[in-house]
Amino acid sequence: NAYFQALEEYLDMLMIILGLVVFFGVQSIRVVAPEWRQVAMLKHGVMRWRLRFGLITLLATALIIMGYMQMRLDPTILWTPPVWTRHIAGLMMLLSLYFVGSAIIPKTTMKRLMGYPMLIAVKLWAFSHLISNGELVALIVFGSFLIWSTVMFSISRRRDRKVGVVAGESSVEFDLAAFVFAMVSWFAIVFYLHEIVFGVSALV
């Protein structure tokens, strides 16, 4: 029994690591190999490239989630976070969703000022879950996302400064749309989706 349990844990961890490697590899192409990306898009077509890109990302995300959920059934506890960290995490997730909205909605102030609001959203999401979870698997998954998003943001901003990228326009109306997106998404996740997808209420 101990052997099979250890094998199962090994496979779950392997699933997570494989998912992380594939996810980060695919999502980093725009930054680490922009010329190759452009050539591939011209060769295969933009829509076909985006479809493959999306499917691979979805598969990698599924591997991470499945491995994460399996390892949480018998978690290795590293520490017990104080209750207040959950409240801080909730507020940080609201801010993270605002940056998500700022990334997907055009002409937002955060996009103009920060350039890559989605990477900031990932950093906030990862850090909020790191401080409010004390399991080993949480440290591996969210710690990896925090490191990756921080490195990608730094590289992207440094590249923009080097080539002299000019910031676009922004509008209050689009900022308001990002705020509405954040509020609606936050309430949906906290009161409904988090428990359905992950089996744990965000309110606990």
Side-chain angles (χ1 to χ4, degrees):
N1 289 337
Y3 171 78
F4 287 109
Q5 183 178 0
L7 179 60
E8 185 178 359
E9 291 177 355
Y10 172 79
L11 293 176
D12 293 336
M13 182 62 71
L14 185 62
M15 188 185 304
I16 292 175
I17 293 174
L18 178 61
L20 289 171
V21 170
V22 173
F23 184 94
F24 295 149
V26 170
Q27 294 295 326
S28 301
I29 291 176
R30 181 190 295 268
V31 176
V32 300
E35 294 83 6
W36 178 85
R37 176 176 177 272
Q38 289 296 328
V39 172
M41 290 178 69
L42 290 174
K43 181 179 179 181
H44 301 288
V46 176
M47 292 305 298
R48 182 178 297 180
W49 167 267
R50 290 179 176 174
L51 180 60
R52 292 176 179 175
F53 183 95
L55 288 175
I56 295 174
T57 301
L58 186 62
L59 176 61
T61 303
L63 288 174
I64 296 170
I65 292 176
M66 287 189 296
Y68 180 81
M69 295 303 296
Q70 283 297 117
M71 290 198 68
R72 289 204 70 189
L73 295 176
D74 186 20
T76 299
I77 305 298
L78 300 179
W79 72 87
T80 302
V83 176
W84 57 264
T85 59
R86 295 184 179 273
H87 305 308
I88 298 297
L91 293 175
M92 291 182 68
M93 278 306 303
L94 179 59
L95 185 58
S96 174
L97 288 168
Y98 176 70
F99 278 101
V100 172
S102 297
I104 64 179
I105 295 172
K107 297 181 179 180
T108 57
T109 300
M110 289 299 103
K111 186 177 292 183
R112 176 175 62 84
L113 295 177
M114 308 305 296
Y116 303 91
M118 186 63 77
L119 289 175
I120 298 176
V122 173
K123 286 198 287 186
L124 290 169
W125 166 78
F127 186 72
S128 68
H129 284 75
L130 268 179
I131 64 173
S132 58
N133 290 276
E135 298 108 358
L136 173 62
V137 65
L139 177 64
I140 294 172
V141 173
F142 300 118
S144 297
F145 271 97
L146 180 59
I147 294 171
W148 171 79
S149 57
T150 300
V151 171
M152 286 297 103
F153 183 80
S154 177
I155 293 175
S156 299
R157 293 290 285 177
R158 188 181 303 115
R159 181 194 59 190
D160 288 352
R161 287 192 296 267
K162 184 177 180 179
V163 300
V165 173
V166 179
E169 298 178 351
S170 61
S171 174
V172 175
E173 290 81 2
F174 293 106
D175 292 334
L176 180 60
F179 176 76
V180 172
F181 170 86
M183 292 300 297
V184 172
S185 302
W186 187 84
F187 276 101
I189 292 171
V190 169
F191 292 98
Y192 188 65
L193 296 177
H194 199 280
E195 185 170 8
I196 289 178
V197 176
F198 299 104
V200 178
S201 174
L203 299 174
V204 178

